[in-house]
Amino acid sequence: MSRIDTQVLADRYRLLNPLSEGGAGTVWLAADEMLGRDVAVKEVRLPPDLDPARRQEVLAAALREANLAARLRHPSIVTVHDVVVDQERPWLVMELLSGASLEQTVRDRSPLPVHQVARIGVGILGALGAAHTAGVFHRDVKPGNVFLTRTGKAVLTDFGVAVVDGEVTSGRTGHLIGSPNYIAPEQLRGERGGPASDLWSLGATLYFAVEGMPPHPAETPIAAIGRVLTEPPRPPERAGGLGPLLMSMLDPAPEARPSFDAVARSLAELATGQPAAGVGGVGGVGDTAGVAGMPAAASPPSPPPAIPAVPAVTDPVPAPVRPPAPGRGRALRWAAAEMAGIAVVIGVTFGVTFLLTSGPTAAEQVVRLSESPGAFSTPVDVCKLIPATRARQLLPALAGEGKPTNDGGCQWPAKGMGLEVRLPGTGKQWGKSPRQAHELFVNQRQSTIPSGENAWSWPEIQAGVRSARSTAPRAVAPVGEESFGYDVYENRMTGRLEQSYVIIRVDSLVLEVGYAVVDGSKDGPAIQAGAHTAATWVANALNNQKAGE
């Protein structure tokens, strides 16, 4: 483990324990004592014998990574909060993610199924589209830099070797950057690389996810370089319909690789269990031919018989697009891809305005006009949103009032069942505008992806550690100004629904309302109805506060 002389950085970040360690440094769990939240802090390790010039180069690279990552906003890009120089070493302060890297997940378990790998691809392709739109090329997409959260969302991390379009990189050309198995051939030849290179690296990463090995397996890094430069990829054996797409992404000629639009289309189809339509006849990454829309995809397969089927939401979520040619500003077209349902969407600016084929909803029209701070500029006492007398309608054994949680939410635990209200994201939503809250709501919906297996516990309601799986977003009767729901089923023992959640937006506030019943006393529809009832109580209480009642 890494050894440090101090446990507090910048009189603010208290290091708690290491989360992971690699050749370049250690990632720590830390407490941000100023804002009262947990964060991840990346310690960049500098060898003791490093000469002053190289030390400055590493420090500058860390500061550069923070600056690059901070300017990118996308649900599948890790958020960098701060950078600190302490003891002449750089420390990057990032959002804390719960889960494991794609590399660790595959090595600890087994290769992933095709539909899950496709979902991962959709998320990372979206992150790359956002980066490329900002003129940033990642250059180190690999399994170790793709993080899978407990909710199933894929997040792209580590922009340490990224370059900005037009940036001079002569000072770094003496070093081989990235992992040889995941570096595009043109980069290994010493070329700068660009969007097509990131696409190749994504193809190699998804290949590893579904096959359990890189496309050019080799015993040593030198051997891997030779194979990438001179040999075709190993024919995939487990990839099924994903195989032809991966092989096209791994074409040695950048101009022969498919466009981002074509890859996005194919991945979205595979993510819902459909065979990919193929990428034949589609131009390369630099091709200017676009896609005006996407056909609606079929709903995902129904869950096993013991688990009730849950309808999918068809609200739009932005998916990746082909990056613009360097130096050219133009409107972007976004193909919308929801994991469990797909709608045709054309956006006129990156992640800002959605124009539905059926016309914008009333909520979206309001959001466009609501840029100023909303009604909830100071913290709300969340526990007062559901009085104990009302909570007992759902929790007959409830003994007292709600108990505040460390993220600003509240929980009402009782024997075998409980209610909770959470503030998704960082938990610090006060002072946002309705527009910002809408974006957070959309991000929450996008990151709610069906997962094969989770582990959760709630000791206060006598729920020990148990295996579970969560569903895709589902439509619910309207609550607040925007709402959707999802459910959590016990995965191994009974397959019964144990938790139901409804996420709502009221003005500038987004809240997640959950109802859990683990003693088997209520069936799935009753638990879903309970969550919806609690969400309605919360929305009504917030609207009353907003109206000054």
Side-chain angles (χ1 to χ4, degrees):
M1 291 295 178
S2 175
R3 302 299 180 201
I4 58 174
D5 298 326
T6 180
Q7 290 293 308
V8 180
L9 305 175
D11 295 322
R12 175 176 177 178
Y13 304 107
R14 181 172 297 279
L15 303 180
L16 301 177
N17 58 267
L19 295 174
S20 63
E21 189 167 13
T26 301
V27 177
W28 295 80
L29 170 65
D32 181 347
E33 297 183 334
M34 180 178 294
L35 295 180
R37 64 182 178 184
D38 290 337
V39 295
V41 175
K42 178 181 177 182
E43 171 194 1
V44 180
R45 183 178 300 117
L46 303 181
D49 58 346
L50 206 61
D51 64 80
R54 180 62 180 142
R55 179 179 291 270
Q56 281 300 114
E57 183 180 343
V58 174
L59 176 58
L63 295 172
R64 194 173 149 278
E65 176 182 358
N67 289 332
L68 284 176
R71 63 193 272 189
L72 302 174
R73 293 186 59 192
H74 189 275
S76 289
I77 295 179
V78 67
T79 299
V80 173
H81 299 307
D82 195 5
V83 62
V84 174
V85 179
D86 191 281
Q87 299 180 356
E88 298 184 347
R89 279 180 292 170
W91 306 72
L92 274 64
V93 183
M94 306 173 290
E95 66 173 312
L96 181 64
L97 300 173
S98 176
S101 71
L102 175 61
E103 180 177 39
Q104 180 182 339
T105 299
V106 172
R107 294 200 186 283
D108 288 354
R109 300 178 186 178
S110 62
L112 305 179
V114 170
H115 69 277
Q116 184 178 359
V117 174
R119 288 200 302 267
I120 292 169
V122 169
I124 301 305
L125 196 66
L128 291 174
H132 295 167
T133 299
V136 176
F137 308 135
H138 191 278
R139 301 205 306 168
D140 195 19
V141 181
K142 60 184 180 183
N145 284 341
V146 173
F147 194 91
L148 305 182
T149 71
R150 289 181 58 188
T151 63
K153 181 175 69 172
V155 179
L156 182 61
T157 68
D158 201 344
F159 281 75
V161 298
V163 295
V164 178
D165 186 28
E167 179 185 28
V168 176
T169 59
S170 58
R172 298 195 299 274
T173 54
H175 309 286
L176 177 63
I177 55 176
S179 300
N181 278 306
Y182 303 98
I183 302 176
E186 62 271 18
Q187 290 176 278
L188 291 177
R189 291 193 294 266
E191 300 172 18
R192 177 188 178 88
S197 305
D198 280 350
L199 189 70
W200 192 97
S201 298
L202 175 60
T205 298
L206 299 181
Y207 184 107
F208 170 83
V210 75
E211 293 290 321
M213 64 180 68
H216 298 86
E219 294 295 327
T220 66
I222 295 299
I225 293 173
R227 290 191 173 184
V228 171
L229 289 174
T230 62
E231 299 179 11
R234 165 188 171 273
E237 299 175 356
R238 301 170 53 95
L242 181 61
L245 176 63
L246 294 178
M247 296 299 280
S248 67
M249 295 169 70
L250 293 169
D251 195 292
E255 65 276 6
R257 294 166 201 158
S259 71
F260 271 54
D261 282 345
V263 174
R265 260 198 321 275
S266 296
L267 288 175
E269 291 166 355
L270 289 163
T272 60
Q274 294 187 97
V279 293
V282 179
V285 172
D287 181 24
T288 58
V291 179
M294 294 169 54
S299 299
S302 298
I307 303 175
V310 179
V313 173
T314 56
D315 294 333
V317 175
V321 296
R322 178 180 59 257
R328 293 181 60 189
R330 58 183 174 90
L332 302 180
R333 285 178 300 183
W334 287 85
E338 181 78 347
M339 294 307 119
I342 297 177
V344 178
V345 176
I346 300 176
V348 296
T349 56
F350 167 67
V352 174
T353 305
F354 301 106
L355 298 179
L356 307 185
T357 54
S358 58
T361 65
E364 286 168 333
Q365 290 175 351
V366 172
V367 167
R368 291 197 189 109
L369 302 175
S370 304
E371 301 284 355
S372 58
F376 305 104
S377 58
T378 58
V380 170
D381 187 342
V382 177
C383 289
K384 291 184 178 179
L385 299 177
I386 304 180
T389 53
R390 176 162 284 178
R392 287 192 186 95
Q393 297 177 29
L394 295 173
L395 309 170
L398 181 65
E401 301 289 338
K403 300 177 180 180
T405 58
N406 59 12
D407 64 355
C410 191
Q411 61 177 355
W412 294 259
K415 184 178 180 180
M417 58 183 65
L419 284 174
E420 62 178 334
V421 178
R422 303 191 297 228
L423 283 79
T426 64
K428 308 295 182 182
Q429 298 183 39
W430 321 113
K432 289 182 178 292
S433 68
R435 169 61 169 280
Q436 291 171 315
H438 169 74
E439 291 176 352
L440 174 60
F441 175 86
V442 172
N443 288 345
Q444 286 299 119
R445 188 176 56 199
Q446 182 177 11
S447 64
T448 304
I449 300 173
S451 61
E453 185 171 348
N454 289 318
W456 74 279
S457 65
W458 192 349
E460 291 84 356
I461 66 171
Q462 290 79 50
V465 177
R466 52 222 292 130
S467 173
R469 73 169 182 85
S470 57
T471 68
R474 60 180 175 84
V476 298
V479 183
E481 292 163 66
E482 295 182 278
S483 58
F484 74 88
Y486 72 94
D487 303 306
V488 178
Y489 292 89
E490 189 180 22
N491 207 34
R492 293 179 178 173
M493 300 298 294
T494 64
R496 69 189 177 202
L497 188 151
E498 292 192 317
Q499 300 178 82
S500 185
Y501 291 89
V502 177
I503 290 78
I504 64 173
R505 181 182 69 83
V506 177
D507 195 86
S508 57
L509 196 58
V510 176
L511 290 171
E512 185 171 11
V513 183
Y515 182 40
V517 179
V518 298
D519 60 6
S521 61
K522 293 183 182 292
D523 61 12
I527 298 173
Q528 291 174 334
H532 191 272
T533 296
T536 303
W537 291 340
V538 169
N540 290 341
L542 289 172
N543 282 323
N544 289 340
Q545 290 190 26
K546 179 181 174 182
E549 299 179 6

